[in-house]
């Protein structure tokens, strides 16, 4: 779950940069950031899907809760 969270954070960051670039009129850079955001989302989905195939849902949910709690600290 650590990797899923890491990839989602990268996607959020890249999407925010893309949003800001659009506001600044930097359309090509916005497009590049959108591509990297999508790649990070795809990576997060792939890691999560493989986790769902290998581990029980309750185990993944518990691991996800631990990751989120550690981020709050």
């Amino acid at each position: 779950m650590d990797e899923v969270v890491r990839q989602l954070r990268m996607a959020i960051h890249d999407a925010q940069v893309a949003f800001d670039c659009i506001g600044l009129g930097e359309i090509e850079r916005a497009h590049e950031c959108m591509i990297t955001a999508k790649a990070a989302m795809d990576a997060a989905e792939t890691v999560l899907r493989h986790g769902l195939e290998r581990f029980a849902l309750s185990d993944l949910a518990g691991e996800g809760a631990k990751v989120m709690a550690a981020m709050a600290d």
Side-chain angles (χ1 to χ4, degrees), residues 17-33:
V17 172
F19 180 85
D20 293 342
C21 287
I22 289 171
L24 296 170
E26 296 182 25
I27 305 306
E28 287 184 32
R29 183 167 177 221
H31 183 241
E32 291 171 4
C33 290

Side-chain angles (χ1 to χ4, degrees), residues 12-70:
I12 291 167
H13 174 264
D14 289 343
Q16 183 62 55
V17 172
F19 180 85
D20 293 342
C21 287
I22 289 171
L24 296 170
E26 296 182 25
I27 305 306
E28 287 184 32
R29 183 167 177 221
H31 183 241
E32 291 171 4
C33 290
M34 291 167 71
I35 291 169
T36 58
K38 183 179 182 308
M41 289 293 295
D42 289 345
E45 189 275 330
T46 298
V47 172
L48 184 58
R49 182 170 21 94
H50 285 283
L52 289 170
E53 291 171 359
R54 294 178 39 202
F55 302 103
L57 185 57
S58 59
D59 293 341
L60 288 176
E63 184 65 25
K66 288 178 191 174
V67 170
M68 298 304 285

Side-chain angles (χ1 to χ4, degrees), residues 1-2 4-6 8-9 12 60-73:
M1 293 305 291
D2 288 327
V4 172
V5 170
R6 189 179 80 78
L8 289 174
R9 284 181 144 182
I12 291 167
L60 288 176
E63 184 65 25
K66 288 178 191 174
V67 170
M68 298 304 285
M71 288 174 30
D73 291 340

